[in-house]
Amino acid sequence: MSYDDVEIEDMDWNEALGAYTYPCPCGDLFQITKAELRTGEEIARCPSCSLYITVVYNPEDFQESKSKSQKAPRRLSRTDNSGSVWYTEVNPYNTDGLRFMYCGFTPSRIIAGGVF
Amino acid sequence: MSRSRSFVWSWGAGTRGQLGNAAFADSLEPVQLSKFDGSEATSPPSWHGVVNDMACGGAHAVAILSVSNDGEEQAQVMSWGNGESGALGHGRTDDLSVPKVVEFFSGIRVSSVAAGWSHTAFVTLSGALYTCGSGSFGQLGHGDFGERLIPFQVEFVSSKRVVMAACGMRHTLVLTNDRGTPEQTSVFSFGAGRRGQLGLSRLDLLQQEHSSSRKLVKVSVPKEVAELTRRANDEVVELVAANGDHSAAITSYGHLFVWGRGFCGDSDYFEPRQVKNQQAPSVPSFKSHFCGWNHFTYVSLGWNHGLALGIDGVLWAWGSNQRGQVGTSDGEKPVSVSFSSETCAQDGDCIDQQWPKMVRVHGITGKCLISSAGSEHSAALCDSGEVRVWGWGEHGQLGLGDTSDVPLPQVVSLPGDFHKDSLTWRVFCGSGFTFVVANQND
């Protein structure tokens, strides 16, 4: 039985393993590669134990990359109550459709950011 | 000169060195690490001194030791295990199978520690909070999502006196009091908040950075859990606990609050809610705010279950029992928790209250003194001097010599030459491993 259902946004991309990972209760990591996601695989296994999780994701996000023009950063901005401007753009380093969001008074003064 | 010493045993998952026994392998049985003799250092493993506090995380551990050097007591912070994100605080990312002194804290007195999946929190005697390790969900509280390989002070709570910290998988809780007024406590939270583990209302979370329609919520700046700060009648929070995506607190009235990911598939709780014990008899409360037997002294959380110790020494559990971690004879039947929708009546009895479904952990003889929940296993110490373990056993985290799950508490036998009656015992469960510490003060 699947230990848990985990959404892909809750998983970490691990460059060294070449896989998306999520903590396993044994102390190791559940792992699934982009290649597996492309084939529609939804089980991420832990190399150290018998447990596995079901990864919840949109398979379309992992199909072969679209044309270059679609990969160009697309920026949206909005201003919140405090006057800070939030910028959201498609992360150009990632073909998975994940977006990069940062907050700053101007785009050149980034005070917080991250892939989500 | 005091001849105090600590005895330390570890067992369970060990491939990242988290057992501190100079090996990178699982251990199915308890191994005594050293005699912890305060007066003399032992050659490897480099354990010496008296353990004052300890915390076990996903695959790393950290301990505060008192070490006697030429008759002078010195405090040391040591860490070992998975160093991947810098959670060990040594400025490097390799795994360590032998405890190593965190040099950063030479000259800084650390009073308590907490460990999450891959981050660590240190609270100093003067009330400062330091964190290191992975910050990808904001769990370090520095206002960013980067990792720290050495401890950094959390400036956002520097105006408060930090009393203790608790680390969940990817979030952190901090208990503070206003300097000089210990009767006014606050709880702050930061890190991953999608399952409600930060105790902030959904409205608060929507105003945070990185919230969006994609639901992933990260908070990198400590936020006050208002529900726990504004308690009536000088009721203050005395203890916070976290693990997995769960959080809990106990107040000076012994009231237990739980929030975060729902147990057994229940919906998540975004704000702290008081847990009431359904099993307790509906006796009239003898005074306002004292309601039945719902008084707890300690709480410990796993990834899918929780343990709470009643003031009468009875150990209660709730949550998933899939691997026996709840410790009842109900087999795999899940035990759901329900929360009272309102607080206790000021006067009168509690018959009409909706009690949660806690179950008494079976097979504990005598009073339970302290308990600890790992990700999917549990351990408890009884006044009979026994260490009992139950739950998931695949990596030997029960220390019973095999890898089976155990649904009812079993006594684990600790090797070594000691008189258990003269020792003060503590138990610390990491995700898939267990530490027992026994302190002796001659």
Side-chain angles (χ1 to χ4, degrees):
Chain A
M1 199 176 105
S2 176
Y3 177 70
D4 201 357
D5 294 346
V6 175
E7 297 196 26
I8 191 78
E9 293 95 334
D10 276 348
M11 299 184 77
D12 286 314
W13 172 253
N14 185 314
E15 199 66 50
L17 295 170
Y20 286 94
T21 66
Y22 189 80
C24 173
C26 78
D28 206 338
L29 295 166
F30 294 114
Q31 303 170 17
I32 192 165
T33 63
K34 277 186 194 168
E36 287 172 318
L37 292 167
R38 259 181 230 119
T39 66
E41 177 64 63
E42 55 180 24
I43 299 298
R45 295 180 189 282
C46 170
S48 299
C49 69
S50 64
L51 302 182
Y52 58 90
I53 55 171
T54 305
V55 181
V56 179
Y57 68 105
N58 180 2
E60 286 175 11
D61 293 343
F62 292 91
Q63 295 312 310
E64 285 305 320
S65 53
K66 297 144 197 166
S67 68
K68 293 265 182 196
S69 60
Q70 281 176 292
K71 277 199 255 171
R74 186 165 47 86
R75 182 183 292 168
L76 301 167
S77 69
R78 67 182 172 85
T79 308
D80 70 13
N81 302 340
S82 66
S84 298
V85 184
W86 290 87
Y87 298 92
T88 307
E89 60 187 56
V90 174
N91 181 357
Y93 305 106
N94 202 316
T95 57
D96 302 335
L98 296 179
R99 292 179 301 174
F100 185 74
M101 186 177 180
Y102 56 81
C103 173
F105 297 100
T106 70
S108 60
R109 284 181 60 208
I110 296 171
I111 59 170
V115 175
F116 72 107
Chain B
M1 194 177 89
S2 80
R3 294 275 300 164
S4 41
R5 54 159 67 163
S6 285
F7 298 87
V8 177
W9 296 263
S10 67
W11 61 91
T15 51
R16 305 303 296 260
Q18 63 264 53
L19 298 183
N21 59 1
F24 289 98
D26 293 358
S27 172
L28 304 184
E29 288 175 341
V31 173
Q32 187 175 354
L33 295 185
S34 89
K35 275 184 137 178
F36 269 69
D37 192 313
S39 62
E40 58 192 77
T42 50
S43 54
S46 61
W47 287 92
H48 59 102
V50 175
V51 178
N52 291 326
D53 191 27
M54 190 175 164
C56 295
H60 73 288
V62 56
I64 304 169
L65 308 186
S66 295
V67 182
S68 179
N69 263 347
D70 299 327
E72 196 178 323
E73 287 288 319
Q74 286 187 333
Q76 278 182 347
V77 179
M78 295 186 122
S79 63
W80 61 97
N82 183 355
E84 200 173 320
S85 303
L88 302 185
H90 300 306
R92 36 197 264 196
T93 56
D94 50 332
D95 295 355
L96 296 173
S97 65
V98 172
K100 180 174 161 41
V101 174
V102 182
E103 298 292 347
F104 178 85
F105 288 112
S106 61
I108 301 175
R109 202 64 198 235
V110 176
S111 57
S112 70
V113 284
W117 171 258
S118 56
H119 72 294
T120 311
F122 308 85
V123 177
T124 68
L125 208 58
S126 60
L129 174 69
Y130 292 81
T131 57
C132 64
S134 169
S136 55
F137 288 80
Q139 63 266 53
L140 301 185
H142 299 303
D144 60 49
F145 301 92
E147 64 183 25
R148 299 284 191 288
L149 303 186
I150 59 167
F152 274 71
Q153 186 172 357
V154 180
E155 298 291 346
F156 295 100
V157 292
S158 57
S159 64
K160 303 272 186 180
R161 186 176 183 280
V162 176
V163 180
M164 76 175 293
C167 295
M169 183 196 287
R170 293 158 159 179
H171 72 289
T172 307
L173 303 178
V174 181
L175 176 63
T176 69
N177 60 35
D178 289 338
R179 292 187 184 276
T181 52
E183 62 275 12
Q184 181 59 54
T185 62
S186 304
V187 175
F188 289 85
S189 64
F190 44 93
R194 187 140 85 94
R195 307 305 298 262
Q197 60 267 53
L198 300 184
L200 309 171
S201 69
R202 283 176 199 269
L203 193 66
D204 288 343
L205 286 168
L206 282 171
Q207 289 166 355
Q208 288 306 303
E209 59 250 71
H210 294 267
S211 66
S212 73
S213 57
R214 295 192 67 132
K215 296 183 289 186
L216 189 60
V217 176
K218 304 172 176 183
V219 174
S220 64
V221 173
K223 288 280 163 189
E224 192 165 347
V225 183
E227 172 74 16
L228 289 173
T229 301
R230 290 194 283 272
R231 304 297 307 162
N233 298 316
D234 66 14
E235 181 180 17
V236 296
V237 176
E238 292 198 326
L239 177 75
V240 288
N243 200 1
D245 296 330
H246 303 295
S247 300
I250 289 181
T251 70
S252 51
Y253 287 10
H255 294 161
L256 171 62
F257 290 80
V258 172
W259 64 99
R261 182 184 175 138
F263 292 93
C264 301
D266 283 354
S267 53
D268 301 338
Y269 298 96
F270 279 76
E271 289 180 56
R273 300 185 78 174
Q274 190 179 350
V275 177
K276 299 277 187 66
N277 192 344
Q278 201 166 39
Q279 301 289 319
S282 310
V283 294
S285 58
F286 49 87
K287 210 176 172 185
S288 58
H289 305 295
F290 284 84
C291 200
W293 288 0
N294 282 289
H295 293 89
F296 301 95
T297 58
Y298 193 77
V299 60
S300 181
L301 301 168
W303 286 15
N304 290 292
H305 74 298
L307 303 171
L309 189 58
I311 49 171
D312 49 1
V314 173
L315 185 62
W316 300 91
W318 68 92
S320 165
N321 201 24
Q322 210 162 42
R323 290 167 189 84
Q325 64 267 51
V326 164
T328 70
S329 54
D330 293 342
E332 293 197 352
K333 199 173 113 195
V335 184
S336 71
V337 172
S338 55
F339 295 88
S340 65
S341 52
E342 52 199 70
T343 52
C344 273
Q346 293 267 323
D347 304 287
D349 63 38
C350 301
I351 285 168
D352 295 327
Q353 294 295 320
Q354 181 192 356
W355 300 99
K357 288 168 190 158
M358 287 179 143
V359 291
R360 186 174 178 156
V361 176
H362 290 190
I364 303 266
T365 47
K367 281 186 179 179
C368 178
L369 299 176
I370 194 120
S371 64
S372 181
S375 54
E376 300 289 340
H377 73 292
S378 307
L381 298 166
C382 314
D383 63 357
S384 54
E386 290 163 337
V387 179
R388 287 181 186 259
V389 289
W390 62 100
W392 189 38
E394 184 169 341
H395 290 270
Q397 58 264 59
L398 303 183
L400 300 173
D402 62 19
T403 57
S404 345
D405 296 352
V406 169
L408 288 174
Q410 302 288 315
V411 176
V412 58
S413 66
L414 301 172
D417 181 22
F418 56 93
H419 297 286
K420 62 185 180 187
D421 295 337
S422 63
L423 301 171
T424 309
W425 294 82
R426 294 186 71 183
V427 60
F428 305 91
C429 291
S431 280
F433 63 106
T434 310
F435 267 80
V436 166
V437 174
N439 286 347
Q440 183 169 46
N441 294 302
D442 288 346

